[in-house]
Amino acid sequence: MWRLARSAVASNLRRSRRFSTAIPGPCIVHKRGADILHDPWFNKDTGFPLTERDRLGLRGLLPPRVISFEQQYARFMESFRSLEKNTQGQPDSTVTLSKWRILNRLHDRNETLYYRVLIDNIKDFAPIIYTPTVGLVCQNYSGLFRRPRGMYFCAKDKGEMMSMIYNWPSHQVDMIVLTDGSRILGLGDLGVQGIGIAIGKLDMYVAAAGINPQRILPIMLDVGTNNQKLLDNPLYLGLRQPRLEGEEYLSIVDEFMEAVYTRWPKAIVQFEDFQMKWAFETLQRYRKRFCMFNDDIQGTAGVALAGLLGSVRAQGRPLADFVNQKMVVVGAGSAGLGVFNMAMQAASRMAGTTANPQFFLLDKDGLITKERKNIAPAAAPFAKAPGEIEGLGLREGASLVEVVKKVKPHVLLGLSGVGGIFNQEVLNAMRESDSTKPAIFAMSNPTMNAECTAVDAFTHAGENIVFASGSPFENVDLGNGKFGHVNQANNMYLFPGIGLGTLLSGAHFISDGMLQAAAECLASYMTDEDCQRGILYPSINSIRHITAEVGAAVMRAAVAEELAEGHGDVGPRELMHMSKEETVEYVTRSMWYPVYSPLVHEK
């Protein structure tokens, strides 16, 4: 029986290889004429061949010359490079928004060409459609808005969401990114303008994971805003009321989740940029009922854990030595606590339940201990007991500088959202670390919220450090032909693979084991030699390959935990008998790739 199952899997994979190189199959459309030209899912601009123009009623609606996909691509890239040249010397914000606009116009007009441009130039364009430019876009979204993308549910829609969800034109949705705009990156409450973060994340799902763009859906859940500047802004597009709280808030989210899973029971919902109290509350409320995860808590934690394991390897130590690492985490929000929790889980797996690693958590009031009054429930399990810190000469509320000087940590990790909090004094103190190669992770986004710059880290903490940041920085010239390598510890390395692997496994919820498998896969992606050179994460140019590996690891974990129910024509039995190589190939072959498909009209 095992041989028969393996044979069936191999046959399916061989079949997918043949199909992947063939002419794409036809796409059925229910539109004709100008309606197609105005639909970015189907529009090919001047790329419609003459036969297609005839059968779709496009004769006379386009210039007579047919321009190939490759020519269209080259034409756009020429326009983009011309924009770069013409904006030289202008303020960075002006330049990045200009770049975003030209890409957004293409996105509005022709999604196939847009995603091909994005995939082929991912290293250059990810910082524009995603971190860090997406923060600037969200701040200005009401003024930038030209045409709607995604769906908007608001507090005034209570009781109507079950019918509203059917207004979305796509019959099948695989991936949803949901935000309530309450904590966009490190920028705070941006209300309805937070829709930009959901759009940017889903662009990465298409580019990195090959999720079909007709099956993605960005959603804004507008429950008001407490940002007075937005409420006073005449251009603001959201509800002009304070944010809902308590049971009133949760009833809105409950109704939304029920509506989504009534129409699309196999969809995956990624919660994005919810303020801490609702991030943890909704994660615990829904994670066993629906197929969802919170990227700020779980995705950030996975990427950070991969970097932390890499920093152990950078010291030339075995991964098991992670339990002996001294780590200081600055920031007790959803991201910081997510990292702390996953790091603790990893230490427990390595050393058992008796593991008591030297991990220290700080917030705006300093070191968190059990003596803290009114401690946040999510932070309470990680508070240090007085007996654990007395020998170090520390106390409740000790400052960051004090903690770094007395703990001498191997790792200093920031998810505080406070730009420059790793100041010169803090970085100088890291020179006394007990590690031969201390690691500094300045992970807050966008760039202005980074705890320190790469230049400051290598200048003040020394050249023999490992550095990672959430936003992109250039490598640092250390002189004498040496460079300090900058790692971008960004969630884009994990969340596309988590989503894709979960989708293809058919799991009904996302387990801790699936998330840990994703983090460990990313950690193992780099060689020991790379890590010892200070390179903890791969180039973003390899993002599709990375995502395939991570997705396959997530899928295997789902199979091992008997959560996998299969996807499409591949059932759980076939998944169970796939080898590691076959799972990676299956995931790779399942990725959508942007090419023009022949369009066939059907009434």
Side-chain angles (χ1 to χ4, degrees), residues 75-93:
R75 180 183 178 185
F76 174 82
M77 292 305 299
E78 183 179 350
S79 297
F80 187 86
R81 299 306 175 203
S82 177
L83 172 70
E84 285 187 315
K85 183 178 180 181
N86 293 335
T87 54
Q88 284 182 355
Q90 295 186 22
D92 287 346
S93 60

Side-chain angles (χ1 to χ4, degrees), residues 5-22:
R6 283 290 294 273
S7 175
V9 170
S11 175
N12 285 341
L13 291 174
R14 282 195 298 272
R15 224 171 19 245
S16 70
R17 273 196 293 270
R18 288 200 302 273
F19 291 151
S20 68
T21 57

Side-chain angles (χ1 to χ4, degrees), residues 36-353:
I36 288 179
L37 299 180
H38 295 153
D39 190 332
W41 283 352
F42 303 119
N43 182 32
K44 303 178 186 180
D45 292 315
T46 53
F48 288 99
L50 296 179
T51 52
E52 205 164 60
R53 297 183 188 199
D54 284 337
R55 68 174 178 263
L56 297 176
L58 296 174
R59 281 273 189 175
L61 300 182
L62 290 164
R65 185 182 173 195
V66 176
I67 305 295
S68 71
F69 190 80
E70 291 72 21
Q71 289 171 315
Q72 290 179 325
Y73 180 103
R75 180 183 178 185
F76 174 82
M77 292 305 299
E78 183 179 350
S79 297
F80 187 86
R81 299 306 175 203
S82 177
L83 172 70
E84 285 187 315
K85 183 178 180 181
N86 293 335
T87 54
Q88 284 182 355
Q90 295 186 22
D92 287 346
S93 60
T94 301
V95 174
T96 53
L97 282 180
S98 295
K99 291 179 178 179
W100 179 85
R101 281 191 183 95
I102 191 173
L103 283 166
N104 191 57
R105 286 197 296 269
L106 180 61
H107 195 179
D108 285 343
R109 188 180 75 247
N110 184 333
E111 288 205 349
T112 307
L113 183 58
Y114 170 76
Y115 285 115
R116 182 65 170 272
V117 163
L118 184 56
I119 290 168
D120 288 358
N121 301 275
I122 190 67
K123 187 172 183 179
D124 291 334
F125 288 168
I128 300 171
I129 57 98
Y130 182 53
T131 306
T133 305
V134 69
L136 185 62
V137 170
C138 288
Q139 287 177 300
N140 295 277
Y141 199 78
S142 290
L144 293 170
F145 180 86
R146 293 296 179 271
R147 60 176 291 171
R149 179 172 288 119
M151 291 194 75
Y152 298 80
F153 292 79
C154 74
K156 294 182 179 179
D157 296 321
K158 187 169 174 58
E160 300 295 333
M161 295 183 190
M162 193 65 76
S163 59
M164 286 172 61
I165 199 71
Y166 287 89
N167 289 339
W168 188 247
S170 180
H171 296 297
Q172 179 61 46
V173 168
D174 293 330
M175 185 63 57
I176 293 169
V177 174
L178 171 73
T179 185
D180 70 351
S182 57
R183 192 204 62 83
I184 298 299
L185 302 174
L187 301 171
D189 182 352
L190 295 183
V192 76
Q193 300 185 157
I195 186 70
I197 196 75
I199 294 168
K201 289 277 184 176
L202 284 167
D203 277 350
M204 289 304 299
Y205 264 114
V206 177
I211 303 293
N212 189 316
Q214 294 188 35
R215 294 187 169 201
I216 62 173
L217 177 54
I219 294 182
M220 160 54 58
L221 195 62
D222 185 1
V223 294
T225 178
N226 295 331
N227 185 331
Q228 193 60 44
K229 288 184 178 179
L230 292 179
L231 293 174
D232 294 338
N233 182 354
L235 294 179
Y236 182 60
L237 297 171
L239 288 182
R240 294 181 179 275
Q241 66 178 50
R243 284 189 169 274
L244 297 183
E245 295 292 345
E247 289 302 317
E248 197 174 10
Y249 172 89
L250 287 173
S251 69
I252 294 290
V253 189
D254 283 346
E255 183 180 338
F256 167 78
M257 293 295 283
E258 292 290 347
V260 164
Y261 282 96
T262 296
R263 185 175 184 196
W264 301 302
K266 295 185 178 181
I268 300 166
V269 176
Q270 175 176 314
F271 277 56
E272 192 68 41
D273 286 359
F274 284 66
Q275 59 183 305
M276 186 178 80
K277 63 178 178 180
W278 295 129
F280 283 99
E281 173 80 16
T282 53
L283 181 61
Q284 295 307 315
R285 192 177 184 90
Y286 303 125
R287 69 173 307 191
K288 294 298 176 68
R289 291 172 54 197
F290 304 113
C291 194
M292 58 79 64
F293 71 106
N294 186 297
D295 187 47
D296 303 299
I297 298 173
Q298 297 163 301
T300 301
V303 171
L305 178 60
L308 294 172
L309 295 174
S311 68
V312 175
R313 295 167 69 196
Q315 301 167 26
R317 297 173 180 269
L319 282 180
D321 199 48
F322 177 69
V323 297
N324 300 317
Q325 295 282 291
K326 292 188 290 185
M327 180 171 68
V328 172
V329 176
V330 184
S334 55
L337 292 177
V339 170
F340 214 93
N341 184 53
M342 189 169 277
M344 292 289 284
Q345 289 179 355
S348 296
R349 286 199 312 277
M350 294 176 184
T353 56

Side-chain angles (χ1 to χ4, degrees), residues 493-548:
Y493 286 115
L494 273 197
F495 71 78
I498 293 171
L500 181 60
T502 302
L503 178 69
L504 295 179
S505 73
H508 277 247
F509 70 92
I510 300 173
S511 68
D512 286 339
M514 292 161 69
L515 296 165
Q516 289 160 9
E520 290 169 5
C521 175
L522 179 59
S524 67
Y525 197 87
M526 308 306 294
T527 66
D528 287 339
E529 182 183 1
D530 287 330
C531 291
Q532 288 167 20
R533 290 168 52 209
I535 304 174
L536 307 182
Y537 299 99
S539 168
I540 190 176
N541 285 328
S542 306
I543 193 67
R544 278 215 159 196
H545 185 259
I546 298 161
T547 298

Side-chain angles (χ1 to χ4, degrees), residues 416-422 444 446-452:
S416 65
V418 181
I421 196 173
F422 294 174
S444 290
T447 308
M448 66 180 182
N449 291 88
E451 284 74 13
C452 67

Side-chain angles (χ1 to χ4, degrees), residues 521 549 551-561 579-581 583-584:
C521 175
E549 294 279 353
V554 169
M555 194 172 71
R556 290 194 299 272
V559 170
E561 295 182 40
S579 67
K580 180 178 179 180
E581 293 75 18
T583 58
V584 174

